[in-house]
Structures are given as C-alpha cells and as structure tokens.
Amino acid sequence: MVKPCWKPSVEGDGGSVGRGGDNRGRVDGLMWYKDLGVHVNGEFSMAIIQANNLMEDQSQLESGPLSCLESGPCGTFVGVYDGHGGPETSRFVNNTLFSNLKKFATEHQEMSADVIRKAFLTTDEEFLSLVRQQWFEKPQLASVGSCCLVGVICNGLLYVANAGDSRVVLGRAEKAARGVTAIQLSMEHNANNESVRDELRSLHPQDSQIVLLKHKVWRVKGIIQVSRSIGDAYLKRAEFNQSPLLAKFRLPESFSKPIISADPSIFIHRLTSKDQFLIFGSDGLWEHLSNQEAVDIVHSQPRNGIARRLIKAALRVAAKKREMRYSDLKKIERGVRRHFHDDITVVVVFLDPYSMNRSSSHNPILSIRGGGGLPPSPKR
C-alpha cells in the first residue's frame, strides 16, 4: 500500500515537527540546540551556531519510514546543508531532498545508492528550474548554492552521500586502541585537495584555468572552493553566465558542459557492534577540530548536550586563534562573527547495536529541522 507522502515532511524554513516529544529544540542567543533525542537506531544530539547575518546552514533528522510503502524501508536520515552565497539553496534542499529520496525509494521499493543519487540530482534540477523561473526578478539566485551531506541508516547499512566539503566521522571502538578511533567516511570536494584539482583538470582538459590559486586558496575558476554542490547554477548552465547576474560571477567565456556537479560521492558501510557513533558536521566544525579530537570529546563526555559541547570546543579554538577569550567571542553579533568562525552545524548520531536490524514499524516518526527560532534576518 502506498501512502501519500510527496510533500515535504516538515513545512517551513527551519521549524520542526514530530510525534513522541518536543522536537523544536531550544535557542540561546545565536545557538540552537536539541540536547538529546531518540531516533529509530539510537539517540542523537544536534546543535547549530550562527555566524552569518543570514543563517546559511540548514539541517534535518528524519527517523521512521524512508519510503511511501507500508512495508518499505525504515531507518534514520541525517542531512547537513552548508549554504554559500545566501540561504536560499540550503533552505530549498532542507524542504525538498528527503521527499525526493522517499519518492525514489518508493519507486525502487528499497534504499540504495542509486536512490540517494537520484534524490541529489533531482533536487539540483528542481532548484535550477527555480532559478530559471525567477531569473529576471532574482538573478542572484544563480550564484547561491549549498554543500550537501547525507547519512542514511537502513537495514544495518550506513549510506554516506556527499557533495561539497562537509564531513561525517565514525567513532569506532578498537581492541588494540584505548578509547575510540576516528574514521572519516565522507570524501570532500574542495579545490584545496590535490585529488579534486586533478579530477577537475581531467574533466576539463581544454581549460587551463579550471582551478586557480588566489590569495593562497585554490578555487574552481578562481571563484568557488567546492567542486560539487546543489545550486550554483551559474557554473552549471551557460544560460546564466550573463547579465543581469553580477559581473563578479560571470565567466569571460561560455562553456558547453557543467563546470561543477551535484553528483555525490557515495560510500556504503555495514555497521558493526564496534561502531559507536557518527559525527556529522559542516566545514566550520572541522576548521577548528581534528577528527580524533571530535571523537574523543564525544567518547569521553555525557551524550546529553554533546553536539553543543563540540561547537563550544570549536569556538574556544577559534577564539584562541584570535588571541581572545571565549566569553568575549560569545558577545560578538552575527555578521561580524563571520570574521571569527563560520556557521557551524553538528549532528551526533549514537548507534544502538540492538536496534540496527530490528523492525522499525512500531517506532514513533521523528522529523526535526535544526535552527528553528534563530533570527531569520539581520537586525535593522
């Protein structure tokens, strides 16, 4: 039996809804957090800190049915969407990607890498269609994009799909090591990585300026650091490489094929009893904490509020880099904050080995969006 589920499971640009508890989270200044909640496969903790005038990070956790079929796959979906150039793409992904995943999981009657890839590519096409529709009213939409990191836990498997430079790290208990070992599961698509530059050069052999070093930072066409994303229509469709798009985004020459892509790197991992937890984070977290530092914090401290503690640890490092106190950094308003750190999103997902393979049909449906209640627009 097919249930009606074509609309996004949550309406709005950052609110949350769910059954089985208050899923709205709490707000403390520029931080939103949900200290501890329960998903189909264990517990979770979420937190976000705003640095930009407009919050560009979006995130969600969906737990329960992953398709519209009564007997279809169940599990947990985590999405971290790090926007750039504005919040429009990350908001769009937050409201669209999961419903597209459910649609394709229904059609295929299973969860798979192909289902996830189709969800990414369809979401990208839908956003590019929106850019085309609003081209003359809002041409700046063509220069807005979002990194997209997704994790799906289903039937004892973890699917990780990534387009951009957000990251997910697994904490695994190893007998040989005391404590928990950090294992990075996602591949990052940032031009500062030599492998990404090599990939771009092989895809565009005729373009000697496909990657350029500007101010000690490698950028695609000298403009953007990521080589894969949702949105960024001006680097995917030559029709947007013209006025009324701002001149700083226009390339001097046209192009016949997309310069960057929405096609995600996908990794599939069979979960074991050694796998303790997953840390999903936008790149703002990993600028200040190493994989092992983050894993050590999660392993050594209580679950309740752990995502918030990870962000605070990152902010303490950010403050130290600028030779200031964390207490002083906390007083800096959004906008100005961006000079000290980026928007940061963290989702920590704990893995209960006893729930990985059992039926999820009787568990409550959970749907939570990170950031509800944070200031929606700059103060005037």
Side-chain angles (χ1 to χ4, degrees):
M1 181 177 176
V2 178
K3 298 172 287 184
C5 69
W6 307 116
K7 292 184 180 180
S9 57
V10 179
E11 303 292 341
D13 291 337
S16 58
V17 68
R19 297 198 290 274
D22 175 20
N23 296 315
R24 296 189 180 279
R26 297 182 179 182
V27 174
D28 178 11
L30 295 177
M31 183 176 285
W32 174 95
Y33 59 94
K34 170 72 173 176
D35 275 344
L36 198 66
V38 178
H39 65 103
V40 166
N41 305 110
E43 294 179 315
F44 71 92
S45 180
M46 296 175 70
I48 299 168
I49 189 74
Q50 181 173 353
N52 287 290
N53 255 330
L54 283 171
M55 182 67 183
E56 293 184 338
D57 274 20
Q58 298 287 319
S59 56
Q60 67 186 128
L61 188 146
E62 313 280 344
S63 199
L66 298 176
S67 79
C68 303
L69 299 170
E70 291 285 1
S71 59
C74 287
T76 298
F77 171 100
V78 178
V80 172
Y81 317 123
D82 181 0
H84 47 261
E88 292 88 353
T89 311
S90 57
R91 289 176 179 174
F92 183 88
V93 175
N94 212 18
N95 286 325
T96 308
L97 180 63
F98 182 62
S99 59
N100 278 332
L101 179 129
K102 290 181 76 173
K103 179 178 72 172
F104 290 117
T106 301
E107 291 179 3
H108 289 243
Q109 300 185 30
E110 66 175 0
M111 185 56 58
S112 67
D114 192 37
V115 163
I116 297 170
R117 177 171 281 106
K118 284 181 176 179
F120 269 66
L121 297 178
T122 299
T123 301
D124 187 56
E125 285 295 332
E126 289 173 347
F127 186 77
L128 266 55
S129 294
L130 183 66
V131 172
R132 190 174 295 110
Q133 292 166 18
Q134 301 188 18
W135 174 240
F136 292 105
E137 293 78 24
K138 297 179 181 178
Q140 75 276 10
L141 273 183
S143 63
V144 180
S146 181
C147 298
C148 186
L149 171 64
V150 162
V152 180
I153 303 169
C154 182
N155 294 329
L157 295 177
L158 168 67
Y159 300 83
V160 172
N162 194 38
D165 56 7
S166 295
R167 184 184 304 174
V168 58
V169 173
L170 168 69
R172 174 183 288 168
E174 300 284 3
K175 287 183 179 179
R178 291 183 179 180
V180 174
T181 301
I183 301 172
Q184 184 172 326
L185 299 181
S186 54
M187 179 182 294
E188 292 162 28
H189 310 109
N190 188 304
N192 282 309
N193 297 336
E194 185 176 3
S195 61
V196 171
R197 297 196 298 275
D198 290 343
E199 179 185 58
L200 286 164
R201 287 167 179 146
S202 68
L203 291 171
H204 305 273
Q206 306 303 319
D207 189 349
S208 62
Q209 297 188 319
I210 187 64
V211 285
L212 295 172
L213 187 62
K214 283 198 168 186
H215 308 294
K216 299 181 180 180
V217 176
W218 286 99
R219 296 180 182 272
V220 181
K221 300 300 292 182
I223 300 174
I224 188 173
Q225 285 184 255
V226 293
S227 63
R228 302 193 197 187
S229 69
I230 306 290
D232 294 309
Y234 71 112
L235 293 173
K236 293 176 179 173
R237 300 284 188 275
E239 65 187 279
F240 302 120
N241 185 35
Q242 59 181 311
S243 180
L245 184 67
L246 292 176
K248 68 178 181 178
F249 294 112
R250 299 204 298 266
L251 302 178
E253 70 287 333
S254 186
F255 51 92
S256 58
K257 67 177 183 178
I259 293 168
I260 66 174
S261 165
D263 189 24
S265 293
I266 298 179
F267 174 75
I268 303 173
H269 169 68
R270 179 164 291 282
L271 294 164
T272 73
S273 59
K274 294 180 180 180
D275 299 331
Q276 304 290 297
F277 53 81
L278 301 161
I279 306 172
F280 295 83
S282 55
D283 70 320
L285 176 72
W286 309 109
E287 285 176 14
H288 304 297
L289 295 180
S290 71
N291 294 351
Q292 192 62 52
E293 286 171 337
V295 163
D296 288 344
I297 290 170
V298 175
H299 174 62
S300 63
Q301 300 192 31
R303 291 185 176 190
N304 190 29
I306 194 61
R308 210 159 27 123
R309 278 186 223 104
L310 279 171
I311 287 182
K312 287 182 179 179
L315 295 187
R316 289 183 190 280
V317 175
K320 188 175 182 179
K321 287 177 180 176
R322 301 297 290 269
E323 298 182 339
M324 65 190 301
R325 293 178 299 185
Y326 170 65
S327 57
D328 293 329
L329 176 61
K330 285 176 64 178
K331 298 173 185 175
I332 299 174
E333 293 190 356
R334 58 201 167 112
V336 179
R337 273 269 194 127
R338 185 61 185 89
H339 297 291
F340 298 84
H341 66 86
D342 199 354
D343 295 336
I344 301 175
T345 295
V346 176
V347 183
V348 181
V349 176
F350 294 97
L351 303 169
D352 176 2
Y354 299 105
S355 68
M356 286 301 146
N357 295 298
R358 73 174 181 232
S359 170
S360 307
S361 58
H362 299 297
N363 284 274
I365 297 171
L366 172 73
S367 179
I368 181 166
R369 303 290 174 91
L374 285 173
S377 59
K379 295 177 182 176
R380 298 191 183 277

